[in-house]
Amino acid sequence: MNNTRNQPGTNAQYLLFNQVNGICPLCAEPLLYCKDSSSQYRKNYELAHIYPLNPTAEEVELLKDEPKLSPDVNSLDNFIPLCPKCHNRFDNPRTVSEYRILYSLKQRLIAEERSKNMFYQYTIAEEIQKIVLALTQSDLSNSLEPLDLTALRIEQKLEKDFSPITKRHIISDVTDFYPFIRGLFMETERNTPGKFDLIATNVHAFYLQLKISLNKQETIYDEMAKWIQSKTPNSSLDACKVVVAFFIQNCEVFENVTQ
């Protein structure tokens, strides 16, 4: 029995369009275009089923060992917007290699969407906003006390999936900023005992939620920095990454990796 094609409604299409940031994820072609320099935008995309809606016998055999994003082929998890050219190339003929590309791409988009939805479920205290603001606006050249490298536990906490340059940035941020941020948190704790524990608990809880849906530490690190930025208006992403590095060193983010 053939599956009935259920075209996603307008709101669902907006969601799928936003997931890929309005560009074809395979060729980066804009998925909207303006005709004749008018202000009327037209669609330049088709919604592709990643696993086919009604696979042929050959396609069933071809994909029999491949995972599916959803048992329901009409689930939004199995749809992705593609420009017409890429959609046609993906379908004709369908190959395992291209299926795997779209499967992995959509899997990442789903995980990113879930982490965005979690941004607003966890809050951080105003004090962390002040710290990010201090990192963003202050002249720190005379106020930093570098951390002795022998105190670092970073190498035991970062998995191999980190790119060397990102790992270098994290180690540098901890080395340069850890005592400075610790001092600000100590001042917060003196003014409001227990406040640091509350902040650290929320940071750790958000990390644990990300860990469930994201399997790469570097992706978790990036999402945590974006989360802090979403809670601290007008802050720089670099400053937010410094705060994440502090919590990595402070044992609130990432466990020790078994060597």
Side-chain angles (χ1 to χ4, degrees):
M1 181 178 178
N2 287 346
N3 290 307
T4 302
R5 179 180 294 273
N6 294 328
Q7 187 73 1
T10 302
N11 290 336
Q13 290 197 39
Y14 285 150
L15 176 63
L16 294 168
F17 180 87
N18 288 332
Q19 267 190 346
V20 295
N21 295 315
I23 61 173
C24 176
L26 294 179
C27 72
E29 180 80 13
L31 297 182
L32 292 177
Y33 70 95
C34 237
K35 188 175 182 180
D36 301 328
S37 301
S38 68
S39 59
Q40 298 296 316
Y41 281 87
R42 298 174 183 268
K43 287 171 52 175
N44 182 39
Y45 68 86
E46 298 167 354
L47 296 180
H49 284 86
I50 297 173
Y51 189 90
L53 177 66
N54 292 301
T56 64
E58 290 79 7
E59 289 174 331
V60 170
E61 178 64 22
L62 183 73
L63 302 175
K64 67 179 182 181
D65 297 324
E66 300 301 315
K68 297 179 183 179
L69 290 156
S70 171
D72 177 7
V73 290
N74 279 313
S75 165
L76 291 188
D77 287 350
N78 192 49
F79 275 108
I80 193 165
L82 299 176
C83 73
K85 289 182 181 178
C86 287
H87 189 188
N88 182 63
R89 187 171 65 248
F90 174 64
D91 282 348
N92 302 293
R94 194 173 298 268
T95 65
V96 171
S97 61
E98 292 219 350
Y99 176 83
R100 289 174 179 172
I101 289 171
L102 276 191
Y103 176 92
S104 298
L105 197 156
K106 181 68 176 187
Q107 190 178 46
R108 176 177 59 80
L109 292 173
I110 292 170
E112 289 176 355
E113 188 74 26
R114 288 174 181 165
S115 66
K116 287 177 185 176
N117 291 336
M118 285 190 290
F119 276 20
Y120 302 101
Q121 297 176 23
Y122 293 88
T123 59
I124 46 180
E126 292 182 2
E127 282 73 11
I128 209 165
Q129 298 185 32
K130 297 173 185 176
I131 289 171
V132 173
L133 189 64
L135 289 169
T136 303
Q137 297 182 347
S138 301
D139 180 4
L140 303 175
S141 56
N142 297 318
S143 60
L144 296 184
E145 176 189 348
L147 182 68
D148 185 349
L149 277 173
T150 58
L152 293 179
R153 296 186 294 271
I154 299 298
E155 289 289 351
Q156 286 73 46
K157 301 183 77 177
L158 302 184
E159 295 176 348
K160 293 180 180 179
D161 65 21
F162 270 96
S163 65
I165 192 167
T166 302
K167 186 179 290 189
R168 185 183 181 92
H169 280 310
I170 293 173
I171 293 173
S172 177
D173 285 344
V174 171
T175 304
D176 292 341
F177 294 103
Y178 185 89
F180 175 77
I181 297 177
R182 182 180 57 191
L184 293 176
F185 275 130
M186 288 174 65
E187 182 179 351
T188 294
E189 191 66 17
R190 282 194 297 269
N191 294 332
T192 312
K195 182 57 72 73
F196 174 73
D197 286 342
L198 181 62
I199 295 170
T201 297
N202 263 351
V203 170
H204 191 55
F206 184 66
Y207 156 67
L208 291 175
Q209 282 295 323
L210 288 177
K211 185 180 176 183
I212 291 171
S213 58
L214 302 175
N215 57 10
K216 290 187 64 177
Q217 279 192 349
E218 185 158 5
T219 306
I220 293 173
Y221 165 74
D222 289 338
E223 290 301 309
M224 291 198 71
K226 293 175 187 176
W227 170 62
I228 291 176
Q229 187 179 41
S230 76
K231 302 293 184 181
T232 53
N234 303 317
S235 63
S236 73
L237 188 60
D238 285 340
C240 296
K241 288 182 176 181
V242 169
V243 174
V244 177
F246 170 85
F247 283 103
I248 292 174
Q249 169 68 8
N250 207 59
C251 295
E252 295 301 328
V253 173
F254 300 152
E255 301 84 354
N256 285 345
V257 177
T258 302
Q259 299 299 312

